[in-house]
Amino acid sequence: MKKTYLLFLTVFLLGCNSNSEEKIKARENVNRMMKAVSGYNSNHIEMKAVELEINSTLPEDIDNYITLNKVVYHENDDKFVFHYTVKEFLKNNVSEEEQNASIQNFKSNHLDVAKNIPNKASFVKGRITFEYIYKNELDSTLFSYEIKPEDYIE
């Protein structure tokens, strides 16, 4: 992916510039970018691409009460964080036991998703952790949990 991007960028920059001074500047820019990217973990680049792809479809209503607002990839922690808003949570006189059962149901569903991610190899290779944060409409955290690699790698 990194090599394809750099090759495309090189061809684009060199092909678009007609005079030699612009070509020299373009080559310098490509060399600078290659140095910047060369030490970069290719899995991080791929995960950032996944983040951008997911976020391009958000916000998304999961149901009448839950909206997925954004996904953030934290490369230092190898973690995807999913940010949800829950409308009218705890307003329906739901017992604490029922709330905990709902949270466990969410976690179980997310674990099933993590175990069945298409092209899971990149997530396994990067030992990616998934964190899910649910907030109310006032941006106060209601609950959160993580799914670690050892939970979904079989």
Side-chain angles (χ1 to χ4, degrees):
M1 180 174 173
K2 174 172 54 173
K3 289 179 183 177
T4 304
Y5 174 73
L6 290 174
L7 178 62
F8 170 77
L9 185 62
T10 302
V11 170
F12 177 77
L13 289 173
L14 295 178
C16 290
N17 297 304
S18 56
N19 71 41
S20 60
E21 186 176 314
E22 287 177 340
K23 286 184 179 181
I24 291 170
K25 284 183 182 178
R27 273 192 218 112
E28 289 171 356
N29 285 337
V30 169
N31 288 336
R32 189 172 19 87
M33 289 202 280
M34 288 176 70
K35 285 180 186 175
V37 174
S38 66
Y40 203 69
N41 182 327
S42 63
N43 203 56
H44 288 174
I45 294 170
E46 188 174 348
M47 293 301 107
K48 278 301 211 183
V50 169
E51 172 193 23
L52 290 171
E53 184 178 338
I54 293 171
N55 282 323
S56 72
T57 67
L58 300 180
E60 180 180 345
D61 290 334
I62 306 303
D63 59 26
N64 290 333
Y65 299 101
I66 301 172
T67 301
L68 176 57
N69 299 306
K70 68 179 176 179
V71 175
V72 179
Y73 174 65
H74 297 278
E75 61 191 56
N76 292 338
D77 299 325
D78 290 319
K79 179 189 292 188
F80 271 102
V81 181
F82 294 78
H83 295 268
Y84 292 90
T85 298
V86 182
K87 301 170 196 136
E88 301 179 26
F89 190 75
L90 305 177
K91 291 184 181 177
N92 298 328
N93 295 325
V94 177
S95 73
E96 187 174 332
E97 186 176 284
E98 290 172 312
Q99 292 171 27
N100 289 337
S102 292
I103 293 168
Q104 280 307 115
N105 187 42
F106 290 149
K107 187 172 184 176
S108 176
N109 288 340
H110 284 129
L111 181 57
D112 286 343
V113 169
K115 286 181 176 181
N116 296 299
I117 296 171
N119 303 318
K120 184 167 82 171
S122 295
F123 296 96
V124 171
K125 176 183 170 190
R127 303 207 39 85
I128 303 298
T129 295
F130 300 98
E131 181 176 12
Y132 302 89
I133 300 174
Y134 290 81
K135 294 184 176 188
N136 65 17
E137 295 165 297
L138 301 173
D139 205 37
S140 296
T141 300
L142 298 168
F143 59 91
S144 65
Y145 52 84
E146 289 186 344
I147 295 176
K148 298 191 177 289
E150 54 269 17
D151 298 330
Y152 68 88
I153 296 174
E154 299 171 340

